[in-house]
């Protein structure tokens, strides 16, 4: 009946939320970092709220780097931020 959805912690505000309420940021095998909306992309993942403020906080504190164990170039950060902002505007 009530399938339990696992909880994950947002790297920005540290709130624990159900996985499907968060956005997954994934480090792919080749070292690329992408947003994963399906939750199905394989790779090491970190989670944030679908909120640019949480994203910026996590970015500033370098939590993505720590969590994903990879250096993330500015351009990747900027393109992820852009995608997040587009989603916010679209109301997703
Ligand atoms: Zn958050």
């Amino acid at each position: 009946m009530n399938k339990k959805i696992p909880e994950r912690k947002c790297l920005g505000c540290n709130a624990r939320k159900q996985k499907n309420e968060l956005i997954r940021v994934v480090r792919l095998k080749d070292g690329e970092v992408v947003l994963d909306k399906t939750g199905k992309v394989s790779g090491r993942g970190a989670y944030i709220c679908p909120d640019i403020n949480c994203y910026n906080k996590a970015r500033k504190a370098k939590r993505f780097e720590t969590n994903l164990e990879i250096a993330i170039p500015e351009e990747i950060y900027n393109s992820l931020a852009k995608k997040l902002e587009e989603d916010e505007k679209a109301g997703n």
Side-chain angles (χ1 to χ4, degrees):
M1 302 267 279
N2 247 337
K3 206 177 158 199
K4 192 151 169 27
I5 298 162
E7 289 190 338
R8 292 288 182 272
K9 204 164 76 172
C10 167
L11 289 187
C13 63
N14 279 322
R16 290 188 74 85
K17 294 190 177 182
Q18 291 185 338
K19 224 172 140 179
N20 59 359
E21 290 174 22
L22 298 167
I23 289 182
R24 188 166 173 250
V25 180
V26 190
R27 184 190 83 186
L28 305 178
K29 265 186 199 154
D30 61 4
E32 204 187 331
V33 178
V34 297
L35 291 184
D36 169 28
K37 285 182 196 162
T38 64
K40 285 174 184 155
V41 177
S42 73
R44 194 183 171 90
Y47 293 84
I48 49 161
C49 303
D51 182 334
I52 194 72
N53 295 316
C54 286
Y55 176 80
N56 286 334
K57 255 192 221 171
R59 174 180 176 172
K60 220 172 157 185
K62 295 198 178 294
R63 292 199 188 117
F64 292 116
E65 272 101 332
T66 309
N67 227 268
L68 300 175
E69 297 172 346
I70 192 173
I72 302 173
E74 282 295 296
E75 59 198 73
I76 300 248
Y77 270 131
N78 293 338
S79 83
L80 294 185
K82 216 173 143 194
K83 276 190 190 130
L84 267 176
E85 279 174 332
E86 279 166 6
D87 283 0
E88 278 190 359
K89 271 182 218 147
N92 292 327

